[in-house]
Amino acid sequence: TVSATININQAPTVSFISNAPQCANTGVNFTNTGSTGGNWTFFWDFGVGAMPQTSTAENPAGILYSTAGTKTITITVTNNGLCAQTITGTIIINQTPTASFSSTAPGCTGSNVDFTNTGTVTGVTWLWNLGSGATPATSTIQNPTGVIYSTAGTKSVTLTTTDATTGCNATAMQTINISQTPAPSFSSNAPQCVGTA
């Protein structure tokens, strides 16, 4: 009779969840829901467009995707380098709209200033904050025109563009200069007689 002792290592269980779907360039957090503790090691591959591309953390957070679409996630869990298990899953990254604009500024107080959205134009909503002294102060149309500033100075103008379906948004900010319109006036010593200065 011969007897021997052998070791049987625990095979890992592998599963994960995330806070996806998220917008492009918004952090995605991953949580390991499989084997944890002990001698487990983890290797994540987050798919195309991820920053960072890989991680060895158990619960990696703040992974950014520069592009939208379906992303394939792979996680491998290993027990002290002996037993390994790998699974693959997918997450959705939604497109973030582009926010940008131009204007006819610089302008003068009391004169019209027009704004033109140069970012995303379909499937989105717009929210403009036109700065101090503006009438109107805010707008939700694509291209606000005829905005009048009652005060001179540097004005901070922001445009937030939001995807109407996913809620993903982007904000652009510019400063414009509004100059004071002069107020002409004069006086004289009239009335006077003809030939009198």
Side-chain angles (χ1 to χ4, degrees):
T1 300
V2 175
S3 64
T5 300
I6 62 172
N7 290 321
I8 304 298
N9 292 293
Q10 179 67 44
T13 59
V14 186
S15 60
F16 71 91
I17 58 173
S18 75
N19 64 343
Q22 291 289 340
C23 305
N25 298 309
T26 300
V28 179
N29 301 328
F30 294 90
T31 303
N32 166 52
T33 55
S35 296
T36 188
N39 294 318
W40 303 115
T41 59
F42 305 88
F43 182 80
W44 299 78
D45 185 327
F46 300 114
V48 177
M51 178 61 69
Q53 180 71 46
T54 62
S55 175
T56 56
E58 181 176 352
N59 300 303
I63 309 304
L64 299 177
Y65 289 88
S66 59
T67 58
T70 301
K71 307 298 180 178
T72 300
I73 313 301
T74 302
I75 176 176
T76 299
V77 181
T78 305
N79 180 6
N80 204 24
L82 298 172
C83 302
Q85 182 78 12
T86 300
I87 65 163
T88 298
T90 59
I91 63 170
I92 300 295
I93 300 297
N94 295 315
Q95 183 67 49
T96 298
T98 301
S100 61
F101 63 93
S102 63
S103 74
T104 56
C108 298
T109 56
S111 299
N112 291 341
V113 178
D114 300 334
F115 294 89
T116 302
N117 167 54
T118 56
T120 305
V121 296
T122 58
V124 296
T125 60
W126 304 275
L127 177 60
W128 297 82
N129 184 331
L130 299 166
S132 62
T135 302
T138 62
S139 178
T140 56
I141 65 174
Q142 181 178 345
N143 301 307
T145 59
V147 179
I148 296 176
Y149 290 87
S150 60
T151 58
T154 301
K155 310 297 182 177
S156 295
V157 179
T158 59
L159 166 63
T160 300
T161 303
T162 303
D163 187 294
T165 301
T166 65
C168 296
N169 65 74
T171 299
M173 191 278 287
Q174 292 183 26
T175 57
I176 62 171
N177 290 317
I178 303 297
S179 299
Q180 183 66 48
T181 299
S185 64
F186 68 93
S187 63
S188 73
N189 63 347
Q192 291 290 334
C193 301
V194 173
T196 301

